[in-house]
Amino acid sequence: MPGRRRRALFGALTLAIAGIAAPAGAQDGATITATIRADQPGPKVDADIFGQFAEHLGTGIYGGIWVGKGSSIPNEDGYRSDVLAALKAIKVPMVRWPGGCFADEYHWRDGIGPQKDRPVKINTNWGGVNEDNSFGTHEFMGFAERLGARAYVSANVGSGTPAETARWVEYMTAAANSSSLARERAANGRTEPWTLAYLGIGNELWGCGGNMRPEYAADLTNRFATFAKAGTGKMLKIASGPSDSNYEWTDTMMRLSGKTIDGLALHFYTRPRDADWNDKGPALGFPEAEWASTLQHTLQMDEFITRHSAIMDKYDPEKRVMLAVDEWGTWYDPTPGSNPGFLQQQNSLRDAIVAALNIHIFTRHAERVRMAAIAQMVNVLQAMLLTDGPRMVKTPTYWAFDLYMPWQNATSLPVTVDGPRYRNGTVDIPAISVSAVRDTAGAVHVALVNVDPNRALPVTVDLKGVRATAASGRILTAEAMDAHNSFEHPGAVAPKPFDAARVAGGKLATRLPPKSVVVLRLR
């Protein structure tokens, strides 16, 4: 948002993080120093960077979120009770739906009215399975309301029309009894309008959304955005933005559509083997070389955000237009034996480390990145939750999001880090990542991520100007790099109390175990 004010808060927090003797492949005898500038607080960390993505893909919706009212699986009006409870517990702030590639083949009228009358179609993008449209607009908006989350709907630009999108927005947001569409909505069970926080103007228009040139995509974006008008509430319009390092796309969209839109989407997926989409590497049973390459790859997010933001600054120096990272996460080879079109994969400690690193990146760029959506919410790619019939398990990524809940709507505290590296083969990355915030109640939280799977790091934190006498926190770690939660062992990877931090003489001292995420609250 333009004109964000920076308020003085505390004195500086200086961290001196001493390295210990490292095994082969890691730097020996080094010291990490980091500084957290609590006296120069940054912008607010918008809660919506913890958003989720739910696409009609595999068992992400059907069996993951929605089982129907007649299901033997415990549910609330068709929504899985266990999934709802788990997502409420981490305060999911925003949900994006219905895609993804699915969005640009989705026609909203197929998903309203009596379910027995809804057409059955083929999901041509994901597995070639039947889509019965039993989860449509009313079901999605009801799901978001039950979560207390803001709704982000992606409109069909690729195969739809501006009129279709305009009517869908009117159907969702028109005041009660104000139009024929509002009355149709009431006849279908919803009298009052919904609040639509975000409208996506298509998805990946450079690819599955229509294989468009950026100039053509910008013209269509202006056309669709012009006619999509919310009847009630504030609706922000998010343009289909670049993937990875497609800086030309960002420049063209901002030049031609920057005054029409409120956000530009960025998509980036983390893979162990960056060069080959057909051989991405397994989710489990990987060597340390793929642990290292995955973390190196995910850290490119910082470069992409920095460079796309610089281009946006040329056209929008006030930072009115957000950079919305509305698809991000890990993408591995499908689980052996699963439908490859379902994008099903296990989720390990490695994924939790990836999530933590990206949260740190989004926090550093909070002035421009004000919304994000991990892909995806349930059963697909880097999921929060996995389900199998009546069973559900929380993944290590779920627990990472749980640890970082204090970051939602907190004030970011700038951090600088200088010190040893984690090295493996050609991989050479910082051994530790640090993030810090002041939460809405005034407490300071410090997150420390040790990416090195082999060595621990003693940590000394110099607390300048902060009146703290103690620190409490939790740790997420495990013995194996690919430790994960299964239906048989659902608690294998979960946060545990971290009581190894001490505060004395104005200093915080602790020891950060290998491959771990530690979040501390100073008090």
Side-chain angles (χ1 to χ4, degrees):
M1 297 178 184
R4 288 177 178 264
R5 292 186 177 181
R6 299 177 177 237
R7 296 172 302 203
L9 180 61
F10 303 117
L13 278 169
T14 302
L15 284 71
I17 304 172
I20 62 172
Q27 183 171 333
D28 297 329
T31 298
I32 296 176
T33 58
T35 302
I36 298 174
R37 297 305 307 256
D39 57 338
Q40 297 179 9
K44 184 184 80 169
V45 181
D46 199 302
D48 282 357
I49 71 165
F50 292 88
Q52 311 278 318
F53 178 29
E55 183 171 6
H56 286 245
L57 196 172
T59 56
I61 300 291
Y62 302 112
I65 292 170
W66 178 258
V67 292
K69 298 178 182 180
S71 175
S72 60
I73 297 172
N75 67 86
E76 300 176 24
D77 293 327
Y79 307 101
R80 288 187 67 124
S81 300
D82 52 1
V83 167
L84 277 175
L87 295 174
K88 285 181 182 178
I90 57 171
K91 299 180 181 178
V92 172
M94 180 275 291
V95 185
R96 178 177 181 245
W97 171 88
C101 293
F102 183 83
D104 284 289
E105 292 188 4
Y106 182 69
H107 299 282
W108 67 273
R109 282 200 162 275
D110 293 343
I112 63 170
Q115 292 197 355
K116 64 180 179 61
D117 296 334
R118 298 182 188 181
V120 176
K121 297 193 173 182
I122 303 298
N123 188 333
T124 61
N125 283 292
W126 305 118
V129 296
N130 283 356
E131 166 61 59
D132 67 4
N133 286 298
S134 59
F135 191 93
T137 301
H138 287 253
E139 291 75 25
F140 168 69
M141 299 302 279
F143 176 61
E145 282 190 332
R146 282 168 170 79
L147 289 180
R150 284 173 283 280
Y152 178 0
V153 167
S154 293
N156 181 348
V157 170
S159 66
T161 65
E164 181 181 19
T165 293
R167 290 178 185 129
W168 193 12
V169 171
E170 181 183 346
Y171 182 88
M172 290 184 281
T173 67
N177 202 38
S178 62
S179 69
S180 296
L181 285 171
R183 288 187 285 275
E184 183 179 8
R185 182 187 68 221
N188 287 330
R190 175 75 180 201
T191 301
E192 296 302 317
W194 290 292
T195 298
L196 181 59
Y198 302 103
L199 178 72
I201 310 298
N203 169 79
E204 296 187 356
L205 297 183
W206 40 263
C208 64
N211 290 304
M212 302 175 190
R213 295 178 300 111
E215 294 83 1
Y216 181 67
D219 288 343
L220 278 184
T221 296
N222 293 338
R223 188 178 174 206
F224 274 71
T226 297
F227 296 103
K229 302 171 183 177
T232 56
K234 183 179 180 180
M235 181 184 74
L236 300 181
K237 300 169 187 180
I238 310 299
S240 174
S243 175
D244 302 2
S245 60
N246 189 348
Y247 303 117
E248 178 190 0
W249 187 278
T250 295
D251 191 279
T252 302
M253 292 296 289
M254 288 300 297
R255 176 168 52 85
L256 299 179
S257 302
K259 297 186 184 304
T260 306
I261 60 176
D262 302 294
L264 185 69
L266 169 64
H267 292 180
F268 172 54
Y269 286 96
T270 295
R271 308 185 305 281
R273 304 170 188 169
D274 188 18
D276 190 352
W277 273 97
N278 296 314
D279 182 22
K280 295 178 286 293
L284 301 177
F286 49 83
E288 184 179 341
E290 290 191 8
W291 165 279
S293 63
T294 300
L295 301 186
Q296 181 183 52
H297 192 214
T298 209
L299 288 173
Q300 287 185 276
M301 179 72 82
D302 188 75
E303 176 188 348
F304 295 150
I305 291 175
T306 298
R307 294 187 63 181
H308 286 295
S309 294
I311 294 168
M312 296 174 75
D313 286 346
K314 291 195 306 180
Y315 304 99
D316 175 36
E318 295 297 317
K319 299 186 186 336
R320 183 190 66 82
V321 179
M322 74 175 74
L323 185 61
V325 190
D326 62 15
E327 283 190 36
W328 69 274
T330 54
W331 195 325
Y332 309 122
D333 293 336
T335 299
S338 67
N339 184 329
F342 284 8
L343 304 188
Q344 176 185 318
Q345 62 187 42
Q346 248 297 354
N347 189 295
S348 74
L349 179 64
R350 176 175 62 170
D351 298 280
I353 298 288
V354 166
L357 293 175
N358 279 279
I359 291 168
H360 290 194
I361 292 168
F362 299 155
T363 300
R364 287 197 294 273
H365 293 279
E367 196 165 17
R368 181 67 82 175
V369 178
R370 303 196 290 275
M371 185 259 278
I374 192 169
Q376 292 189 9
M377 181 176 267
V378 188
N379 289 334
V380 178
L381 297 176
Q382 191 175 352
M384 297 286 116
L385 305 169
L386 303 176
T387 67
D388 178 26
R391 300 185 294 178
M392 184 203 75
V393 66
K394 299 171 182 176
T395 69
T397 296
Y398 174 94
W399 289 118
F401 271 57
D402 181 75
L403 286 175
Y404 283 89
M405 278 195 293
W407 268 244
Q408 293 194 23
N409 292 323
T411 300
S412 62
L413 303 179
V415 178
T416 56
V417 182
D418 181 34
R421 316 279 290 180
Y422 165 56
R423 295 190 177 108
N424 182 283
T426 60
V427 170
D428 182 350
I429 60 177
I432 193 169
S433 177
V434 182
S435 182
V437 296
R438 174 183 177 263
D439 70 19
T440 54
V444 172
H445 300 258
V446 179
L448 305 166
V449 178
N450 183 1
V451 305
D452 194 313
N454 304 306
R455 61 172 175 169
L457 294 170
V459 179
T460 300
V461 183
D462 188 6
L463 305 176
K464 293 185 180 295
V466 178
R467 295 178 180 176
T469 59
S472 59
R474 292 185 294 162
I475 184 171
L476 189 65
T477 189
E479 288 297 319
M481 292 182 295
D482 66 346
H484 58 282
N485 295 328
S486 65
F487 297 110
E488 294 73 28
H489 302 286
V493 184
K496 294 179 173 57
F498 188 75
D499 58 5
R502 299 289 182 268
V503 176
K507 295 181 184 295
L508 169 71
T510 190
R511 182 179 177 86
L512 193 63
K515 54 185 181 305
S516 66
V517 181
V518 171
V519 177
L520 299 169
R521 180 182 185 273
L522 307 182
R523 63 185 194 279

